[in-house]
């Protein structure tokens, strides 16, 4: 019986140690939450420098998580929820189902959010998809989350990019000189999130910018 008693005492000690470790981990997580806030943002590696972040552009064919989408083809973009449906900073749900825009959730009608993109060239296996980008969007308003993937692709010979390997030094210098401007894409995109705008949304934003000036 003494051996059983010692065994129970040892088990109790182990349980107390385990409980203490759990409490310590919870306390550490709470401290991290207080320090960094509630934003669900993470990096798989060290955060990019300003120069590195500037190169997350379509001319460098990036694979990345979050931020603004780097659209491969600066035309024929997916349709978005109209900016004109926003009132007082709140976006009204778009029609769901078949009438929903490409970047609208078919369940709740709200705008999808950009999650990640991957550059997945087919190289010589498929000349029509020498340049190929897969872009993942998700609805954060629904459970389960609706997910949608868009694919853009181009031949090796195309009107947007040359056949040479992109030069980060040259591209970075050009972007610094133009303040990261993209004359082909900028008129088509929301200036804050980088998602496509419809014609009414583009006109409304241009008028707002003109009034601010």
């Amino acid at each position: 019986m003494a051996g059983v008693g010692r065994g129970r005492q040892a088990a109790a000690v182990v349980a107390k140690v385990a409980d203490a470790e759990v409490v310590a981990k919870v306390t550490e997580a709470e401290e991290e939450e207080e320090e960094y806030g509630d934003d669900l943002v993470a990096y798989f590696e060290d955060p990019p420098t300003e120069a590195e972040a500037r190169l997350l552009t379509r001319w460098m064919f990036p694979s990345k998580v979050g931020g603004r989408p780097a659209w491969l083809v600066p035309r024929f973009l997916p349709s978005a929820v109209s900016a004109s449906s926003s009132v007082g900073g709140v976006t009204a749900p778009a029609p769901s189902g078949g009438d929903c825009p490409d970047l609208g959730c078919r369940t709740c009608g709200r705008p999808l959010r950009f999650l990640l993109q991957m550059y997945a060239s087919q190289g010589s296996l498929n000349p029509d998809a020498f340049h190929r980008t897969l872009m993942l969007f998700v609805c954060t308003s629904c459970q389960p989350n609706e997910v949608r993937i868009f694919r853009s692709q181009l031949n090796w010979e195309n009107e947007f990019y040359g056949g040479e390997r992109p030069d980060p030094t040259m591209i970075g210098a050009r972007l610094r000189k133009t303040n990261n401007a993209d004359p082909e894409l900028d008129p088509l995109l929301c200036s804050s999130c980088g998602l496509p705008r419809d014609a009414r949304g583009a006109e409304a934003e241009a008028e707002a910018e003109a009034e601010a000036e």
Side-chain angles (χ1 to χ4, degrees):
M1 296 296 293
V4 174
R6 285 195 296 270
R8 290 177 177 173
Q9 292 177 355
V13 171
V14 171
K16 289 182 179 179
V17 171
D19 290 342
E21 291 178 351
V22 171
V23 171
K25 291 179 179 179
V26 171
T27 303
E28 182 179 352
E30 290 175 347
E31 291 176 351
E32 290 182 355
E33 183 175 347
E34 292 177 358
E35 180 178 357
Y36 297 107
D38 297 328
D39 292 336
L40 300 178
V41 178
Y43 292 99
F44 294 117
E45 53 190 20
D46 292 337
T49 64
E50 181 179 355
E52 290 171 338
R54 180 177 288 114
L55 292 177
L56 295 175
T57 172
R58 66 184 179 93
W59 291 293
M60 289 298 298
F61 312 114
S63 294
K64 66 193 188 81
V65 177
R68 293 166 56 93
W71 301 98
L72 176 67
V73 183
R75 63 178 64 162
F76 311 124
L77 300 179
S79 60
V81 175
S82 173
S84 60
S85 63
S86 296
V87 179
V90 178
T91 302
S96 58
D99 296 331
C100 189
D102 297 331
L103 291 175
C105 176
R106 291 194 177 95
T107 300
C108 69
R110 296 188 179 278
L112 299 178
R113 299 182 66 180
F114 172 66
L115 181 61
L116 61 86
Q117 69 182 76
M118 179 181 296
Y119 182 69
S121 171
Q122 289 287 287
S124 59
L125 296 177
N126 183 2
D128 291 335
F130 181 86
H131 294 297
R132 187 177 67 148
T133 296
L134 305 177
M135 311 186 78
L136 180 65
F137 292 80
V138 61
C139 178
T140 56
S141 301
C142 290
Q143 292 295 332
N145 304 107
E146 178 174 334
V147 176
R148 201 165 305 155
I149 297 178
F150 295 87
R151 182 188 69 209
S152 298
Q153 62 188 49
L154 290 169
N155 293 327
W156 179 70
E157 294 184 357
N158 62 83
E159 60 182 292
F160 304 110
Y161 309 101
E164 309 81 14
R165 182 182 296 274
D167 184 342
T169 302
M170 183 181 300
I171 293 174
R174 186 183 72 214
L175 290 172
R176 283 194 302 271
K177 184 177 180 180
T178 62
N179 195 25
N180 301 325
D182 187 332
E184 291 180 288
L185 264 179
D186 288 348
L188 308 176
L189 304 178
C190 170
S191 58
S192 59
C193 68
L195 296 183
R197 301 179 294 179
D198 67 354
R200 291 171 297 171
E203 292 174 359
E205 185 169 333
E207 291 175 0
E209 292 174 353
E211 291 177 359
E213 295 176 357

